[in-house]
Structure formats: C-alpha cells, structure tokens
Amino acid sequence: ANIAALQHSLPRLFGTLMRGMCHVGLIRNDQLDDTFAYAETTLKGADKACDAQVGHMYNLVYEICRGKIDSHINFALGNFQWVSKSARDMPNAYCEGIIQYLRMTFSQLGPMDEGSRFGHCGHVAERLVKLLTDPHIGEYHNHHHHGGGADETLPPIARIDAYGLRNMCLDVQEFERFADETGVPQLSECFNELKCLTSAMVDKDLPRLLMKEYATDRRRKYPFLNMEKVGNILEKYVGMGLGDKLIRSSTKHSEILTMEKKEVNELLRLVRSQDN
C-alpha cells in the first residue's frame, strides 16, 4: 500500500519539485529542456522501480502462502488412508482446511491480483495431481525427506480404491465451488485435470473409453485425461473381491465403477499399450 501510494504521488511530487526549482532560479533558461527531459526519464525509472517492488512483494506473498499450503497438505495427508471402502457424503477434512486457508488469504490480501489467486489454486491442484498420479516408489520418502512442514516432500499415494477416488471427486467439486464463489472468472478451471482424472476413474464407462478405438470419445468426455497418469493410478488401485463387489453393487453408490483385481490388471495392460 505504501509503495502504491508513493507511485501514485510521484508525478505530482516531481512536478512540484521542478516548478519550485524553476521558481527560485536553480535552473537556467538555456537548461530547461534538458532538465525536464532528465526529470521525465527519472520519473519513468522511479515508476518502474515501484512496479518491480510490487512484483517482488506479490512473489514473496505467493511463496509464503504456497509454503503454508504445502505444510497443511503434508500434515493433513501424511498418514491419510485413501483406501476408504465407503463413500463419504461430504469433502475430506484436508479439503475443508485448505479452502478455509485460501478464503482467509484471499480476504486479507484483497488488492492481490487475480494471477496470484490462480497461482494459489493451481498449486493446490498440482500437488493433488502429483500425489494421485506420480509413481509410488518404496524409497521415495527416504530419498526426499528433509525435515518437517513445507520442506518435507510428501510421497505419492501408494494405494487407493474406488471409494477413495469417489471421495476425492467430492473434494474437487468443493474446490470448484469455492473458486466460483470468489467471482474470479475461470478460476475453477485450475482443477480441470484433477477433475478429469478422478471423474474418469469412477466412470462405469471407463473400460470402454480406454479402448483405442474409442479414443475420440474419451478425449471428448475427458479432454485433460493423460493415459500415462491413468496407468499410474491403476497401479495403485486396490481392487475388491467378487463378493464385496456384488454386495456393494446394491448400495446407493453403485453408480461408480468398482473393479476386481483381475479387471484392474486388464485395464492396466490396455492403458500401457497406448500410453500417450
């Protein structure tokens, strides 16, 4: 705010100084043009310096907020069980916590440019996509552990089932709802890839859409779907037994895709044969 106020007052300040200097005779008549040209150049330089300071401030705020988002995700999801075995009727607690932090941040930084809001939401979406789709390697945590908080790299999800994916769909819907409530056009699109991944993985039509001959249908329905990432999710996918599948097919959440281990392996082979 101080820099913005200074930047706003610079033209008046320079104008006052130049008129005063002329009034008291500090500038000779034969030097007026050169002096005013120099003053104009100096004013432009000062204006650019103010822009640079404001940009640096935004970058600093973004880095601080991103660090806090990382800390929250690391803490909330450090021991999270993604094999849910049941569907939730509301978003996961970590989702509500992140939204509460973003809402507070956006409120306190009212003048913040829209680009920073996209940066915050985009960072949340990127972290969740990586957690869901990055390959899980047994030694990942040991090789990437640097301490706690934002400096600790959370390993990718190791195991997840149909209900864990369905619950993540609810989280994505909640993130989109929050983004729309901010009034920033297209902010909810930050979550497009995460939405495509989670929605596709619980779509009963997924086995057909993953076939090569239905690639056009797949791209039309899920334009941000990446086959390599789908394959990575399938490698973590915990299939259920035939008995559990039959029992759950009669529940209120039977509209989501559930698969046995054999079906998961078949889809994985299909996907790996056509990774894009």
Side-chain angles (χ1 to χ4, degrees):
N2 291 336
I3 296 175
L6 173 63
Q7 187 174 21
H8 181 72
S9 64
L10 279 176
R12 181 178 298 177
L13 175 62
F14 268 73
T16 301
L17 286 173
M18 295 304 297
R19 285 194 298 272
M21 293 171 68
C22 292
H23 182 72
V24 298
L26 292 178
I27 302 175
R28 300 201 313 259
N29 289 336
D30 60 337
Q31 296 177 335
L32 283 175
D33 291 341
D34 291 340
T35 302
F36 275 93
Y38 174 76
E40 183 68 22
T41 301
T42 304
L43 175 60
K44 290 180 179 178
D47 189 65
K48 289 182 179 179
C50 287
D51 285 337
Q53 285 295 321
V54 171
H56 175 72
M57 180 271 294
Y58 280 130
N59 290 336
L60 180 61
V61 169
Y62 174 64
E63 290 298 323
I64 293 172
C65 293
R66 188 172 67 171
K68 290 186 178 295
I69 290 171
D70 286 338
S71 294
H72 182 89
I73 291 176
N74 293 344
F75 177 78
L77 298 181
N79 296 300
F80 195 86
Q81 295 298 320
W82 289 103
V83 180
S84 303
K85 297 185 178 179
S86 62
R88 292 173 57 90
D89 293 322
M90 61 183 64
N92 286 301
Y94 82 88
C95 170
E96 296 175 342
I98 292 175
I99 288 176
Q100 183 178 5
Y101 173 73
L102 291 175
R103 183 176 286 114
M104 178 187 67
T105 301
F106 290 176
S107 174
Q108 292 179 347
L109 301 176
M112 184 170 60
D113 64 331
E114 291 185 358
S116 296
R117 288 179 166 84
F118 278 93
H120 285 81
C121 290
H123 182 64
V124 172
E126 180 185 11
R127 281 296 311 271
L128 294 177
V129 167
K130 289 179 69 65
L131 286 173
L132 178 62
T133 64
D134 277 5
H136 183 270
I137 303 172
E139 296 298 316
Y140 184 99
H141 188 67
N142 294 332
H143 289 166
H144 293 77
H145 182 81
H146 304 291
D151 295 328
E152 179 181 351
T153 301
L154 194 66
I157 295 170
R159 302 168 76 245
I160 190 168
D161 66 355
Y163 294 98
L165 287 162
R166 189 265 178 189
N167 293 340
M168 189 178 274
C169 283
L170 284 184
D171 299 339
V172 176
Q173 292 172 13
E174 194 68 14
F175 281 126
E176 289 183 318
R177 186 178 298 112
F178 161 73
D180 289 336
E181 288 174 354
T182 65
V184 178
Q186 301 178 323
L187 184 60
S188 62
E189 294 182 8
C190 291
F191 302 97
N192 277 351
E193 184 182 15
L194 185 60
K195 179 180 181 178
C196 268
L197 287 165
T198 54
S199 298
M201 292 303 300
V202 296
D203 186 347
K204 281 195 167 185
D205 203 25
L206 180 65
R208 181 187 70 85
L209 292 173
L210 291 181
M211 295 179 182
K212 189 173 183 179
E213 54 266 36
Y214 293 105
T216 301
D217 291 352
R218 182 178 68 243
R219 295 190 188 101
R220 185 181 299 114
K221 189 171 185 179
Y222 299 111
F224 299 97
L225 197 65
N226 178 283
M227 292 290 276
E228 181 181 358
K229 292 180 179 179
V230 170
N232 291 345
I233 298 173
L234 286 171
E235 288 182 345
K236 311 173 185 191
Y237 193 103
V238 178
M240 59 178 60
L242 178 58
D244 285 340
K245 184 177 179 181
L246 292 174
I247 292 172
R248 294 175 187 273
S249 65
S250 61
T251 67
K252 65 178 181 178
H253 296 297
S254 59
E255 74 278 2
I256 72 171
L257 174 69
T258 56
M259 295 185 285
E260 301 173 54
K261 185 174 179 61
K262 178 181 68 173
E263 294 171 315
V264 175
N265 290 335
E266 290 173 354
L267 274 189
L268 181 58
R269 283 194 295 270
L270 176 64
V271 168
R272 290 308 189 208
S273 69
Q274 50 180 316
D275 277 352
N276 53 25

